[in-house]
């Protein structure tokens, strides 16, 4: 079992920055792939960024060049650095942990609200 706790969301003006954190309850990064998802009101949840247990990184096109996913193994924490934020980035952001072996385990955090508005 894995518990994930997100933090760092808030209200920011367009062009501003936020760093989201996802703290895992135990060391999992050697066997779990990590991801950040987001869900805006009235829309489906979408993948934002992933980092695999072997350090492979991918971003959705809309955030490339603006967002950076990273992790600190010693702190059991994954980060999402968000720069040049746009109103379209407004959503609840969720942390996800998925076991490398398909179907074994999939965990979600509670979500943290990000609002980009002037």
């Amino acid at each position: 079992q894995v518990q994930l706790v997100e933090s760092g969301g808030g209200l920011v003006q367009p062009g501003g920055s936020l760093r989201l954190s996802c703290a895992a309850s135990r060391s999992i990064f050697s066997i779990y792939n990590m991801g950040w998802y987001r869900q805006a009101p009235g829309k489906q949840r979408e993948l934002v960024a992933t980092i695999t247990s072997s350090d492979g990184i991918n971003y959705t096109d809309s955030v490339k060049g603006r967002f950076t996913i990273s992790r600190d193994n010693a702190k059991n924490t994954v980060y999402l650095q968000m720069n040049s934020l746009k109103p379209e980035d407004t959503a609840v952001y969720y942390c996800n942990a998925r076991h490398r072996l398909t179907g074994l385990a999939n965990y979600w955090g509670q979500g943290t609200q990000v609002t980009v508005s002037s």
Side-chain angles (χ1 to χ4, degrees):
Q1 298 181 6
V2 177
Q3 289 78 51
L4 304 172
V5 180
E6 301 101 330
S7 61
L11 175 63
V12 64
Q13 293 184 333
S17 298
L18 287 172
R19 188 177 75 162
L20 306 183
S21 298
C22 172
S25 59
R26 61 183 178 88
S27 297
I28 62 170
F29 299 147
S30 63
I31 58 173
Y32 281 78
N33 299 326
M34 305 300 298
W36 286 97
Y37 292 72
R38 66 186 181 187
Q39 187 167 23
K43 295 189 176 182
Q44 294 182 339
R45 188 173 299 185
E46 66 170 342
L47 179 65
V48 177
T50 58
I51 181 167
T52 70
S53 59
S54 56
D55 294 327
I57 293 175
N58 283 284
Y59 302 96
T60 191
D61 287 344
S62 63
V63 308
K64 287 180 179 177
R66 300 188 297 122
F67 291 11
T68 303
I69 189 171
S70 62
R71 66 176 177 229
D72 186 332
N73 292 346
K75 297 181 179 179
N76 299 326
T77 301
V78 175
Y79 303 96
L80 185 68
Q81 178 67 46
M82 305 186 295
N83 299 325
S84 301
L85 283 162
K86 305 175 181 179
E88 305 90 88
D89 297 318
T90 296
V92 177
Y93 284 71
Y94 297 91
C95 182
N96 172 255
R98 189 181 301 271
H99 199 281
R100 294 188 301 129
L101 302 182
T102 302
L104 279 186
N106 189 30
Y107 300 99
W108 293 91
Q110 83 289 349
T112 185
Q113 176 71 49
V114 172
T115 302
V116 184
S117 176
S118 60

